[in-house]
Amino acid sequence: MTKDTSNTTKVLKGMSSQTIVTITLGVVEIVSFSIMSRLLGQRDFGYYAAIVAIGAVFQSLADAGIGSAVVQRKELNDRFVNNAFTLSLLFGVGVAVVMCALSKVLATGVADASMTTPLRIFSVTLICHCIASVNTSLLQREMRFMTIGVINLISLVVTTAVAIVLALQGYGYYAILTKAVLASFLTMIMSWIASKRVYRLAFDRDEYGRIFGFGGWLMASAVFRNLSHQVDRLLMKSLFSIETLGMYTRPHEFITNITGKVNQIYDSVLFPVLSSIQDSRERIRFSFSQTLYLLNVGAMLLSLAFLFCHNLIIRVFFGEQWLNVATLFAVMSAWSVIRINGRLGDVYLRSLAMTRTQFILRVCQFASVTVFILIGYRWGLTALAISSMTGYSIVMLAKNAIIAKRIGLPIKEMLANMLSAWRPLIWLAPIYAACSIALPETLAGSILSTVVFAIAATVTYLLFPGLVGQRYKDEYAKIRLVIASKINNMRGK
């Protein structure tokens, strides 16, 4: 077995372990999402979205890329870990204090003064997140993905129960705010116990320099990544209203949360593997070509699922009162392809220690998304969503082109990998168009559209994989063997 094949198998096995955990988490999250969508209104979700948008930017400052530095480092010792923990703790506390101090100004700028206290409460998550990021990174280095999944699952179940009780008692968006704060605390405690580490405060300037040399650029790029991801929500109150923000955020959150789970699966497995072979240009090139193709196959399938099933998804997981966002949801289904490709590029930039390049690309991404949003919002909410995706896509393609050039992969081949993975769109898009014209916008019509997609996808991707392409057909056979082996091992235990 060659080294490239060995690493491919390692990634596939790790991803299959992650998939089991992630699917379980996804089911619980969808149940939680469905219940909360029915208990709270669009205005509640608008306020919470504003809090999360601000918190995400501060969180990227707090983390400072230290967790990624722990994973990326070739050789790890107690000295490095203790300094990483201390630095992470200092950043967390410092950024939380700044967020508290600026909470009134931020609340007024993004929504209104009533959001001041919730922002101060949310700042606690920054400290918890920083500590948890070091713990989780240590578990990730050891490929203990099942442990990470169990921690997240316990945290999710407990906090969802608390949020439902608070929502039923009329606490509004404080219910989901409490869920976020409690989840960060539980994750911090459980990941600390699982990592079996006794940290000591350490203040070694040389180690700080090495950690921040890698993590500093990651922190800076993370700030602009989150700004580009949140700029539509940060501007929404000024462009529209807080209720509109709730309408916009809920379908966006549903799609990006599920897409994020896919990203989490391959990122947490692929990053440690790539970091271990970062000095081999040939193996990195082989890996990039493979993952770019396979992830685009999956991303396109996921986007098509959202597109075909959006009406049924809204009826089941949102409630009838959310049908006014059906068109917006259909348009946003493209986020799956865009976000998965964007995250893949980030993984390779981190693994190749191209953190400065990543920062520059994130600044460009923020600028691009902002410009497109300020142009597109004039034509309404759906146009704003299209504008945001367009701005993001331009930089995403540039990002993957830069990686391809760095590792010696022709850009034409990179584009061919992506486009060949989208081949099923040629016949599935006309089927969707026919369903949209022929089927009524009722529950029965939504179910029929979903059934049509299930049949078309099964035929295309499972029964006749050659329809996707010979490359997919060959890789599909390998993936089936890995998954079957994993299932058999679990049965044996």
Side-chain angles (χ1 to χ4, degrees), residues 158-170:
V158 172
T159 57
T160 295
V162 171
I164 291 171
V165 170
L166 292 176
L168 287 171
Q169 292 181 358

Side-chain angles (χ1 to χ4, degrees), residues 273-289:
V273 173
L274 292 177
S275 294
S276 68
I277 62 170
Q278 59 185 287
D279 295 328
S280 175
R281 191 181 186 192
E282 182 179 347
R283 293 164 72 186
I284 286 284
R285 183 167 59 245
F286 174 83
S287 175
F288 183 66
S289 178

Side-chain angles (χ1 to χ4, degrees), residues 378-413:
R378 304 169 192 274
W379 290 274
L381 205 55
T382 301
L384 184 146
I386 294 171
S387 300
S388 178
M389 291 188 291
T390 301
Y392 192 97
S393 298
I394 291 170
V395 180
M396 175 270 289
L397 289 170
K399 181 192 304 182
N400 285 325
I402 289 171
I403 294 168
K405 184 177 181 181
R406 170 70 177 268
I407 62 179
L409 181 72
I411 294 177
K412 287 183 178 179
E413 186 176 333

Side-chain angles (χ1 to χ4, degrees), residues 117-327:
T117 299
L119 276 177
R120 289 171 179 167
I121 295 172
F122 191 84
S123 66
V124 175
T125 66
L126 302 178
I127 302 172
C128 296
H129 172 79
C130 283
I131 297 173
S133 70
V134 177
N135 302 332
T136 304
S137 296
L138 291 170
L139 296 174
Q140 191 176 333
R141 274 184 68 96
E142 299 169 3
M143 299 288 187
R144 292 173 61 187
F145 305 116
M146 193 67 73
T147 301
I148 297 172
V150 170
I151 289 169
N152 291 332
L153 181 60
I154 293 172
S155 174
L156 178 61
V157 170
V158 172
T159 57
T160 295
V162 171
I164 291 171
V165 170
L166 292 176
L168 287 171
Q169 292 181 358
Y171 282 92
Y173 70 88
Y174 273 90
I176 40 179
L177 175 63
T178 302
K179 178 183 176 181
V181 175
L182 183 58
S184 67
F185 178 75
L186 290 177
T187 301
M188 176 190 71
I189 296 299
M190 288 188 288
S191 62
W192 201 337
I193 293 170
S195 67
K196 298 178 181 178
R197 283 275 180 173
V198 178
Y199 298 112
R200 292 181 174 82
L201 296 180
F203 303 92
D204 188 318
R205 290 186 179 180
D206 292 336
E207 288 290 2
Y208 279 15
R210 280 187 282 270
I211 294 169
F212 204 70
F214 176 84
W217 285 112
L218 277 182
M219 177 194 72
S221 62
V223 171
F224 281 94
R225 176 198 65 200
N226 285 330
L227 279 172
S228 62
H229 286 176
Q230 306 294 338
V231 66
D232 45 5
R233 275 152 281 191
L234 292 170
L235 294 173
M236 190 69 71
K237 176 63 167 57
S238 301
L239 302 179
F240 296 101
S241 66
I242 201 72
E243 288 87 359
T244 306
L245 175 56
M247 289 173 58
Y248 179 87
T249 301
R250 207 59 177 159
H252 186 277
E253 183 182 0
F254 186 91
I255 292 169
T256 54
N257 275 355
I258 292 178
T259 302
K261 291 290 180 293
V262 177
N263 286 340
Q264 182 183 341
I265 291 171
Y266 75 76
D267 190 329
S268 57
V269 175
L270 195 57
F271 182 36
V273 173
L274 292 177
S275 294
S276 68
I277 62 170
Q278 59 185 287
D279 295 328
S280 175
R281 191 181 186 192
E282 182 179 347
R283 293 164 72 186
I284 286 284
R285 183 167 59 245
F286 174 83
S287 175
F288 183 66
S289 178
Q290 287 288 88
T291 52
L292 183 66
Y293 175 76
L294 291 175
L295 285 172
N296 269 280
V297 169
M300 180 53 65
L301 178 60
L302 185 58
S303 280
L304 287 168
F306 286 136
L307 183 63
F308 272 84
C309 309
H310 69 274
N311 267 311
L312 185 61
I313 289 171
I314 291 172
R315 291 176 187 276
V316 174
F317 300 111
F318 290 62
E320 297 281 339
Q321 71 273 24
W322 289 87
L323 283 173
N324 59 341
V325 300
T327 301

